[in-house]
Amino acid sequence: MSALTRRTFLSATALGVLAACTPAVTTAPLVLPTDPRVREVEAARRSTGRTRSITLAATAGQIDLGGTVVDTWTYDGAVPGREIRISAGDVIEARLVNRLPADTSIHWHGVALRNDMDGTPDLTQPGIAAGAEFTYRFIAPVPGTYWFHPHTGTQLDRGLYAPLIVEDPTEPGAYDAEWVVVLDDWIDGTGTTPDQIFADPRQRTGHMGSMPGMGGTVSPLLGDAGDVTYPHYLINGRTPSALTTFTAKPGQRVRIRFINAGSDTAFRVAVGGHRMTVTHTDGFPITPVDTDALLIGMGERYDALVTLSDGVYPVVALAEGKNATAFALARTATGSAPGPEVRPSELTGSIVGYPALKPTIAATLPAKPPDIVHRLALTGGVMSYDWGINGRTGDLTNPARVREGQRVRIEFVNTTMMWHPMHIHGHTFQLGNSGPRKDTAIVLPGQTLACDFDADNPGQWMTHCHNAYHAEAGMMTLLGYQT
Ligand code: C2O
Ligand code: CU
């Protein structure tokens, strides 16, 4: 069976098992996406009553990455797809027309939305068939930097992704300009498709997290940094030969929203000649903290403020452990630009870690011991490619059960030799007792990460590694509300 059929099969099985829950089963029934409670919780969400209607077409075709023309799949022929920008509490009404030769769906990464709009095929909706369409309609209640992408097979590693910015109408906005910087690792249409990578073990070898040519600095990721070698690394869909230039005036303060839309690459980003003041983790405010560089796992977002000097500066995203970079420019003056081979010293400077990121009071959960603790062991390895959770691969039949109203702790226990960016759908958790609010968090080899949240969004939610190949191999499970 091909990877895609296998995944669809597993998901369909999961849905069947979920739907089959009856009083004869010793455990309580699960709250399915179709449960009236899902609609009730949505009706109680604070909304502006304003609706933003958009139509997206998922399309196969040629696009130009900057001299490199590739056949790939995109939203409306653009990589990244067109940004959606709304105010918190607005209703998104997004009609997705599927012109791909395959099923698809849209997952709204990080948004605490109604379960039946979460876009996970065969779990919260049937896959949207080739030639069919589906309209997503939901309140986006919490401000922040989000993004969206499909949740089928390895489609994420094509060009199907775009930013979703939910603005905070009450935020002072102490900046002059805003840049959305989307990072990606690219291979589709260069002779190999993501499905071929998934199917062929020779395409997936470990990349040790050290950086040749940079004094052998050991990566904070430890061990294997990624499995896949990509020919291109992109900022806003562009290779260095046709790079994106961000312009502003000298002395202006810019809010940069970094989004890692990559599938197998952590990026270490820096703005040459500048320090950054980090203000948000996965959309949630923190006490501002300065850093030279940020290390961003797949699915993670950071907002940072930079006050630009007078000149032309490199924006460099090092593909961690892969000795390659994505490259753009920040320009406040005329003058010659550095070339794409430049490695700003900030890349080897300080990298702010999770312990130094302190959520604001508003972003901090009230202190409370967990009502329930689920330990999810991350298991498997790169040679056998049996990435899983608790030793099971792609098992959606055995959810981590919670009840609405509980304080939940998920402990990710990384028993593997590699890091994993773990993502929980529909919720934002707090790391440890006082750490940042996030929806995707890096779990290092040998590390245990405690993620606390309030179970306030009933339904069935995917919980998985945001390495597209690890998820497809089976490092996924469900967070399942029960009655
Ligand atoms: Cu962006 Cu299920 O993930
Ligand atoms: Cu992983």
Side-chain angles (χ1 to χ4, degrees):
M1 247 186 297
S2 82
L4 289 175
T5 355
R6 191 179 60 88
R7 174 65 53 238
T8 306
F9 170 74
L10 287 171
S11 306
T13 307
L15 189 63
V17 170
L18 296 181
C21 280
T22 66
V25 180
T26 50
T27 42
L30 294 169
V31 179
L32 297 180
T34 49
D35 197 284
R37 188 69 195 132
V38 170
R39 289 194 297 279
E40 281 167 27
V41 169
E42 176 75 347
R45 283 196 173 96
R46 217 184 300 154
S47 172
T48 60
R50 275 192 309 263
T51 297
R52 170 67 54 86
S53 299
I54 47 159
T55 296
L56 296 137
T59 314
Q62 284 200 331
I63 60 149
D64 187 350
L65 304 173
T68 306
V69 177
V70 291
D71 259 311
T72 188
W73 297 357
T74 65
Y75 296 121
D76 299 298
V79 175
R82 197 166 67 246
E83 168 186 304
I84 300 177
R85 187 174 283 259
I86 58 163
S87 257
D90 287 356
V91 175
I92 292 183
E93 188 178 74
R95 175 172 163 250
L96 173 64
V97 180
N98 183 7
R99 300 210 183 100
L100 304 173
D103 283 19
T104 193
S105 69
I106 293 181
H107 169 58
W108 310 89
H109 183 118
V111 180
L113 48 45
R114 53 185 296 168
N115 186 234
D116 53 349
M117 294 290 139
D118 194 45
T120 44
D122 300 320
L123 179 66
T124 62
Q125 69 175 113
I128 306 165
E133 61 173 74
F134 182 86
T135 299
Y136 293 89
R137 195 167 202 290
F138 58 92
I139 299 167
V142 182
T145 302
Y146 303 97
W147 62 300
F148 57 95
H149 61 78
H151 221 284
T152 303
T154 60
Q155 288 181 13
L156 167 61
D157 207 11
R158 299 186 190 249
L160 295 162
Y161 59 83
L164 167 59
I165 310 300
V166 181
E167 291 185 332
D168 183 353
T170 66
E171 200 195 60
Y175 48 90
D176 305 300
E178 199 181 300
W179 300 337
V180 178
V181 175
V182 188
L183 309 167
D184 193 19
D185 44 19
W186 192 280
I187 194 162
D188 195 31
T190 63
T192 313
T193 66
D195 286 340
Q196 287 167 336
I197 292 178
F198 185 74
D200 182 0
R202 286 166 309 174
Q203 303 272 1
R204 308 176 312 243
T205 52
H207 291 77
M208 294 312 287
S210 62
M211 296 196 298
M214 297 196 68
T217 314
V218 174
S219 167
L221 292 178
L222 313 171
D224 182 9
D227 300 340
V228 181
T229 305
Y230 289 86
H232 302 290
Y233 294 93
L234 312 178
I235 290 181
N236 291 2
R238 307 301 272 169
T239 63
S241 46
L243 52 76
T244 305
T245 301
F246 303 101
T247 55
K249 296 197 178 69
Q252 278 192 327
R253 184 133 75 142
V254 179
R255 177 181 191 164
I256 307 182
R257 298 179 186 259
F258 291 105
I259 301 171
N260 184 349
S263 284
D264 179 69
T265 306
F267 286 100
R268 186 193 293 226
V269 293
V271 180
H274 295 77
R275 300 198 85 202
M276 298 186 281
T277 304
V278 188
T279 61
H280 296 74
T281 57
D282 294 352
F284 279 77
I286 57 168
T287 304
V289 57
D290 287 352
T291 192
D292 291 319
L294 279 165
L295 180 66
I296 313 180
M298 295 80 81
E300 290 191 292
R301 292 89 64 214
Y302 284 98
D303 294 15
L305 294 171
V306 177
T307 303
L308 289 169
S309 310
D310 192 346
V312 190
Y313 303 98
V315 178
V316 179
L318 179 78
E320 194 72 10
K322 298 180 177 180
N323 199 28
T325 57
F327 184 67
L329 289 175
R331 181 183 280 284
T332 64
T334 55
S336 62
E341 64 297 330
V342 67
R343 296 287 183 277
S345 62
E346 286 80 6
L347 284 176
T348 47
S350 65
I351 300 178
V352 73
Y354 293 157
L357 304 171
K358 302 291 178 202
T360 62
I361 288 169
T364 305
L365 292 177
K368 196 178 165 189
D371 298 307
I372 185 161
V373 179
H374 285 290
R375 279 174 83 82
L376 301 182
L378 313 180
T379 52
V382 68
M383 295 315 288
S384 42
Y385 230 72
D386 54 349
W387 302 113
I389 289 183
N390 293 335
R392 296 188 296 269
T393 56
D395 181 7
L396 304 183
T397 63
N398 190 10
R401 287 169 168 265
V402 302
R403 280 202 179 83
E404 195 177 340
Q406 284 180 326
R407 171 64 58 87
V408 179
R409 175 169 297 166
I410 302 283
E411 285 179 357
F412 292 113
V413 184
N414 189 347
T415 72
T416 77
M417 304 292 284
M418 188 175 177
W419 71 287
H420 304 280
M422 297 307 298
H423 174 44
I424 302 176
H425 284 207
H427 300 76
T428 303
F429 47 79
Q430 178 150 22
L431 288 183
N433 275 328
S434 55
R437 289 286 290 276
K438 296 186 74 18
D439 53 63
T440 310
I442 291 174
V443 192
L444 295 173
Q447 189 189 39
T448 295
L449 207 62
C451 303
D452 284 16
F453 60 92
D454 286 321
D456 56 4
N457 201 9
Q460 302 300 312
W461 302 99
M462 293 280 303
T463 298
H464 63 92
C465 177
H466 221 286
N467 181 307
Y469 297 93
H470 294 190
E472 186 62 4
M475 194 177 273
M476 54 166 64
T477 187
L478 285 186
L479 172 74
Y481 281 67
Q482 64 176 39
T483 54

